[in-house]
Amino acid sequence: RHAVCIFYLVLRALDTIEDDMTISLDIKIPMLHEFHSYLYQPEWKYMESKEKDRQVLEDFPTISSEFRNLSKVYQDVISDICYKMGIGMAEFLEKKVDSQHEWDKYCHYVAGLVGIGLSHLFSASELEDPVVGQDTELANSMGLFLQKTNIIRDYLEDQLEGREFWPREVWSRYAKKLSDLAKPENIDMAVQCLNELITNALHHVPDVITYLSRLKNQSVFNFCAIPQVMAIATLAACYNNKQVFRGVVKIRKGQAVTLVMDATNIQAVRAIMYQYVEEVEMGVSLFFFQKIPSTDPSSNKTQQIIASIRAMSLPNGPMASRHHYSPIYLSCAMLLAALSWQYLSTMSKAAEEYIQTGEN
């Protein structure tokens, strides 16, 4: 627990340096390159940041002191990840994400390395088997899936902040400039671009399922599984959704609570993954229909990865916490829910406002 906590605070400090646009590159790049060495400098701190999380830089001596109190095996993991992440962050300060390969590379630097570092910590603690830390490809996928989900969801916010993380190789097929995707007249092309990136992100889900299936410790499992099921739910909400280019798409609070409570074992996580790829394919409605547009350029790839995830998500034997029902039962249940919704909505304006507030 202490090692993971310090790992988080150290990376938050590193990320704060990267995010601070008031630091000139001639200062920022050497700081990112040398950041891992600051862990062993008791007095090092940075007082010039304007970022909201600047406290972690201003009070860095407290963090580094606790870091040096950790076991050497933990220190080595954290220091190594900081070194690699700092180098990667500096690299992408001076160039944009062009190809899908570079998108994977950027996400590896800022998130995949986090998954790899955490996996090393889990194995070093002996709470998990050595293979968890040794299989860096699966650990990297854990980070890439979360990072790509955030990048996809945060399109508009990043545009407003002057940041661009969508790969040019993809969006250039749909618009002359990335910002053009937010224009109403380009919404159809924008959604096709969105769907292609979501399809790209979904290719990490099989690795996610395999990684989680290896975990034995309940606390470690919960820690790893909850962000992943939140991500798949977010992608399902974003898929083919014009709202990504108009505002923020978020899962409902009640939905989030349900995911936290349910994602406690691998059988439940498989069922959750199944549920949300079904939503990508079929949508959520009274009648099950093909949500994936046949005219979408990436529709075949989307269908293929959904089939792969579905195959992995239905192991032999009963599923814990969640169950998969056939479309006919789900259709009936959703029809009943819709009729009840309509009835309640006409009963009281206050109830309607309450429901709308809950959705927001």
Side-chain angles (χ1 to χ4, degrees):
R1 183 174 68 241
H2 291 166
V4 171
C5 175
I6 296 304
F7 189 34
Y8 169 79
L9 291 173
V10 168
L11 295 187
R12 172 53 54 201
L14 179 60
D15 193 53
T16 300
I17 293 172
E18 183 205 21
D19 287 343
D20 195 332
M21 304 303 290
T22 68
I23 305 175
S24 62
L25 290 184
D26 60 331
I27 295 176
K28 182 184 292 190
I29 291 176
M31 286 179 69
L32 293 174
H33 284 170
E34 299 298 323
F35 187 83
H36 66 288
S37 68
Y38 303 153
L39 293 168
Y40 299 96
Q41 298 178 28
E43 303 302 321
W44 187 90
K45 57 185 175 181
Y46 185 71
M47 305 298 293
E48 308 302 322
S49 177
K50 302 297 187 294
E51 285 291 292
K52 64 180 185 303
D53 294 327
R54 60 185 177 274
Q55 182 181 353
V56 290
L57 294 173
E58 295 173 351
D59 200 22
F60 196 76
T62 301
I63 298 172
S64 65
S65 174
E66 291 298 327
F67 165 83
R68 292 187 297 277
N69 286 333
L70 296 174
S71 299
K72 186 178 185 302
V73 65
Y74 294 146
Q75 291 185 39
D76 290 345
V77 169
I78 295 171
S79 177
D80 179 60
I81 295 299
C82 279
Y83 170 73
K84 293 174 179 176
M85 189 177 290
I87 295 295
M89 287 177 168
E91 177 182 337
F92 279 92
L93 283 177
E94 299 184 288
K95 70 177 183 180
K96 292 185 177 181
V97 179
D98 284 328
S99 66
Q100 294 186 65
H101 172 73
E102 286 184 335
W103 197 35
D104 282 356
K105 190 176 182 181
Y106 171 76
C107 291
H108 163 73
Y109 283 139
V110 300
L113 284 172
V114 181
I116 292 170
L118 286 170
S119 299
H120 286 322
L121 294 179
F122 299 152
S123 293
S125 69
E126 299 185 354
L127 293 174
E128 299 295 344
D129 291 339
V131 68
V132 172
Q134 293 166 356
D135 196 335
T136 56
E137 184 175 347
L138 292 188
N140 188 58
S141 283
M142 292 283 285
L144 263 61
F145 186 57
L146 299 183
Q147 186 66 22
K148 288 183 178 181
T149 298
N150 289 340
I151 288 173
I152 291 166
R153 179 199 62 199
D154 293 342
Y155 164 83
L156 192 60
E157 178 183 332
D158 286 338
Q159 281 294 297
L160 295 174
E161 298 277 343
R163 299 187 295 259
E164 293 189 357
F165 298 114
W166 284 25
R168 179 185 295 272
E169 179 184 344
V170 175
W171 64 255
S172 62
R173 295 198 292 268
Y174 302 93
K176 291 183 178 179
K177 295 187 298 183
L178 182 56
S179 58
D180 289 344
L181 295 177
K183 296 179 179 178
E185 63 268 25
N186 297 329
I187 192 62
D188 291 338
M189 297 296 282
V191 169
Q192 289 181 5
C193 181
L194 168 70
N195 291 347
E196 182 171 345
L197 291 181
I198 289 176
T199 299
N200 177 297
L202 288 174
H203 279 83
H204 297 293
V205 173
D207 279 355
V208 168
I209 294 173
T210 301
Y211 180 96
L212 293 175
S213 69
R214 291 176 173 174
L215 300 180
K216 298 178 179 180
N217 180 274
Q218 186 66 57
S219 294
V220 172
F221 185 89
N222 293 351
F223 180 81
C224 294
I226 289 171
Q228 302 295 329
V229 296
M230 295 287 190
I232 191 73
T234 299
L235 287 183
C238 289
Y239 185 81
N240 212 46
N241 189 347
K242 299 176 182 179
Q243 187 61 27
V244 172
F245 303 95
R246 298 168 177 165
V248 180
V249 176
K250 292 184 178 180
I251 59 177
R252 300 183 305 277
K253 290 182 180 179
Q255 186 180 3
V257 170
T258 299
L259 290 171
V260 170
M261 294 178 66
D262 282 1
T264 57
N265 59 76
I266 189 58
Q267 292 81 13
V269 168
R270 286 193 176 106
I272 292 169
M273 294 296 186
Y274 190 106
Q275 172 191 335
Y276 284 108
V277 294
E278 286 279 281
E279 286 192 13
V280 169
E281 184 176 33
M282 299 296 189
V284 182
S285 66
L286 289 178
F287 306 101
F288 279 74
F289 62 92
Q290 199 69 22
K291 184 181 177 184
I292 300 174
S294 59
T295 57
D296 195 289
S298 57
S299 61
N300 288 338
K301 290 183 179 179
T302 309
Q303 292 281 8
Q304 289 170 8
I305 187 56
I306 285 177
S308 297
I309 296 170
R310 184 185 289 115
M312 289 192 71
S313 300
L314 284 178
N316 294 329
M319 292 186 181
S321 299
R322 285 179 174 245
H323 307 275
H324 174 66
Y325 300 100
S326 65
I328 186 64
Y329 292 120
L330 282 171
S331 295
C332 292
M334 296 176 78
L335 176 60
L336 178 60
L339 291 173
S340 301
W341 178 285
Q342 184 176 9
Y343 172 77
L344 291 171
S345 296
T346 58
M347 290 295 291
S348 168
K349 182 178 179 180
E352 181 180 6
E353 292 174 350
Y354 174 79
I355 293 170
Q356 292 174 345
T357 301
E359 290 179 339
N360 293 333

